[in-house]
Amino acid sequence: MLKLYNSLGKKIQDFKPQKDGEVSLYVCGLTPDAATHLGHAFTYLTFDVLIRYFRFKDYKVNYLQNVTDIDDDILVRSKKAGRDWQEFGTHFTKVFEDNMNKLGWIHPEPYVRATDAIPTIVKIVKGLVENEFAYEVDGIVYFDVSKYGEYGKLGKFGKGKMTSLLAERGGDPDDPNKRNPLDFILWQKGEEGEPTWESPWSAGRPGWHIECSSMIYENLGEQIDIHGGGADLIFPHHESEIAQSESFTGRSPFAKYWMHVAYLRYKGEKMSKSLGNLILTSDLLEKYSANAIRHLLLSHHYREEWEYTDEQMQEAVGKWELLEKRCYSELVSESRSETPDPVSFAQGKQVRGDVGLEVLKFLEDDLDTPGALKCLDKINSETLKSSLELLGFQV
């Protein structure tokens, strides 16, 4: 049985979906305001392997990922670059998709943009206001955290810690319009020159947190099996998603399992756009094979915080070359073919042959990809090939 670490409760649990043989999965996607970095790839390839495992086990997988295509950062950065905000976001979304496709990423279906969910966002915010979970001040709508008694149950941070994190991560606990420092914006009144949409409160745009809740509600329903994303999203983003979703639907839990991928560090700091200490995926793809990059990322457990170094990348290249040599040199009856197109591989190619039981054992132990990679040395070439395909390598 698959066991996963659930951030909600902070313990390993047996995975039991709401419906037998079917799993609903939502992964918070990118804000397309800069090029894709290796931290993005680490997050999305983690869930790529999880989806491959579910498909191998004959689950029907309902996999949704979003693009936060309207956001304060997009407006600021596109203006600074002198580009239209939509064109700016579309460009970086394409860069992301191109990079991930080269890495053999299973494309989410559907892959939705926040701006497509505006009617649903307005509907949910309206419901929260009508049921007094939210309030409006001068065209801005806030969620009232005092009306949701479990606010903080995911991260288990105290009020003081949450207040300081909110200030660090773009929130404003000192906003004089708020009833409580931790209240968060559901609908933002637009400023002159900004893109806006009509609503009962003002011409404006949605807050960040409500976008994800609305896209999940519209495409996957009131409750889902797994919600994933980077560890930095636990607060305030995921904490706020839980509060507004459960308040609107009256159903709990909003997500049965929460999976968070650890920070990737570089030069002593968390790799991030704000710090600029980035290893761009596109730069690595110019130097190394997609399989070597995938090997590097999967050699770290998704809950393990680690630091990128060139030495680790070179080590991954060597390990992949050995696996590739074994995979083909020991198959006397099968001639080596060209590496398949990564897009068609990710979308339609099925794992063939037997997969090593040890590989499955490690994957079922909280997606232990490092353990799965280490046991590949012990299995024969035909099983090796199938096991590599299960892990998403293009062979």
Side-chain angles (χ1 to χ4, degrees):
M1 176 176 285
L2 174 64
K3 297 179 183 295
L4 294 173
Y5 180 86
N6 191 350
S7 299
L8 184 64
K10 303 189 183 309
K11 61 183 178 181
I12 300 282
Q13 295 180 332
D14 292 340
F15 177 73
K16 296 178 181 178
Q18 298 174 89
K19 298 180 181 178
D20 289 341
E22 186 171 346
V23 58
S24 53
L25 168 65
Y26 179 83
V27 180
C28 282
L30 83 158
T31 300
D33 59 355
T36 308
H37 61 71
L38 199 61
H40 296 135
F42 184 45
T43 294
Y44 300 121
L45 290 189
T46 292
F47 292 101
D48 181 85
V49 173
L50 181 63
I51 291 163
R52 291 174 188 276
Y53 168 82
F54 281 133
R55 289 184 174 180
F56 179 77
K57 287 291 189 176
D58 294 324
Y59 280 86
K60 177 184 176 183
V61 182
N62 302 309
Y63 172 34
L64 174 66
Q65 188 176 316
N66 73 299
V67 179
T68 304
D69 62 338
I70 182 64
D71 175 89
D72 290 348
D73 288 340
I74 289 179
L75 297 180
V76 170
R77 294 189 184 202
S78 62
K79 184 177 181 179
K80 185 176 181 180
R83 298 168 69 176
D84 173 76
W85 68 275
Q86 288 177 302
E87 181 273 329
F88 187 79
T90 298
H91 167 76
F92 284 115
T93 300
K94 186 178 186 303
V95 169
F96 169 78
E97 290 186 276
D98 288 347
N99 288 335
M100 295 306 299
N101 285 339
K102 288 175 183 176
L103 292 174
W105 171 63
I106 294 175
H107 199 286
E109 293 296 340
Y111 190 48
V112 295
R113 287 164 171 73
T115 53
D116 293 332
I118 298 293
T120 303
I121 291 169
V122 171
K123 172 185 174 180
I124 293 176
V125 174
K126 187 177 180 181
L128 290 170
V129 171
E130 289 175 348
N131 288 290
E132 299 184 352
F133 288 105
Y135 57 94
E136 181 261 338
V137 179
D138 192 26
I140 304 173
V141 182
Y142 298 88
F143 184 88
D144 187 344
V145 297
S146 71
K147 300 294 180 70
Y148 180 77
E150 295 183 282
Y151 195 74
K153 69 178 178 180
L154 178 63
K156 292 183 167 45
F157 301 122
K159 184 177 179 180
K161 178 65 172 178
M162 287 192 288
T163 302
S164 63
L165 283 174
L166 183 64
E168 290 173 16
R169 296 174 178 177
D172 183 6
D174 298 321
D175 182 345
N177 291 328
K178 289 183 177 183
R179 295 176 182 173
N180 312 288
L182 296 177
D183 290 354
F184 55 88
I185 292 176
L186 298 171
W187 187 264
Q188 173 69 52
K189 184 178 181 180
E191 301 292 338
E192 185 177 350
E194 292 182 343
T196 59
W197 291 262
E198 292 301 318
S199 80
W201 315 283
S202 63
R205 62 181 185 274
W208 174 29
H209 314 311
I210 196 64
E211 293 177 345
C212 287
S213 286
S214 300
M215 286 181 279
I216 291 171
Y217 178 80
E218 183 176 323
N219 293 279
L220 297 177
E222 295 183 348
Q223 293 176 296
I224 60 174
D225 292 308
I226 300 173
H227 194 311
D232 55 330
L233 298 180
I234 292 175
F235 186 85
H237 187 49
H238 289 164
E239 204 75 72
S240 300
E241 273 192 70
I242 291 172
Q244 65 201 8
S245 293
E246 294 186 358
S247 296
F248 176 71
T249 66
R251 300 185 67 180
S252 179
F254 164 51
K256 193 172 181 182
Y257 302 87
W258 286 84
M259 293 180 65
H260 291 99
V261 179
Y263 297 133
L264 173 53
R265 303 174 67 86
Y266 183 54
K267 295 183 176 180
E269 299 282 354
K270 171 184 174 287
M271 192 177 293
S272 69
K273 290 180 285 188
S274 60
L275 293 175
N277 59 333
L278 304 178
I279 295 295
L280 298 183
T281 307
S282 56
D283 289 345
L284 287 185
L285 284 166
E286 289 181 0
K287 299 178 183 178
Y288 307 106
S289 73
N291 283 332
I293 297 169
R294 183 179 276 261
H295 195 288
L296 168 68
L297 296 174
L298 298 189
S299 68
H300 297 274
H301 191 265
Y302 77 92
R303 290 195 289 114
E304 166 198 354
E305 189 173 314
W306 59 285
E307 180 152 351
Y308 172 86
T309 63
D310 292 336
E311 290 75 18
Q312 282 193 52
M313 186 69 247
Q314 291 296 336
E315 185 179 352
V317 170
K319 289 183 176 180
W320 168 249
E321 287 177 349
L322 290 174
L323 285 171
E324 185 179 39
K325 183 178 180 180
R326 273 193 57 214
C327 189
Y328 288 107
S329 64
E330 296 178 19
L331 287 174
V332 178
S333 62
E334 184 177 342
S335 61
R336 177 171 180 168
S337 60
E338 294 183 1
T339 300
D341 171 70
V343 178
S344 60
F345 174 88
Q347 295 299 337
K349 192 169 183 180
Q350 299 298 314
V351 175
R352 63 182 185 276
D354 296 326
V355 169
L357 293 179
E358 287 296 305
V359 173
L360 288 175
K361 177 182 175 182
F362 280 109
L363 292 184
E364 289 173 344
D365 183 14
D366 193 29
L367 212 64
D368 183 0
T369 55
L373 289 178
K374 288 177 182 177
C375 78
L376 294 177
D377 293 335
K378 306 173 185 177
I379 58 183
N380 64 45
S381 56
E382 182 60 51
T383 304
L384 172 63
K385 198 167 188 179
S386 297
S387 298
L388 288 171
E389 288 173 355
L390 175 60
L391 291 167
F393 291 95
Q394 300 162 42
V395 295

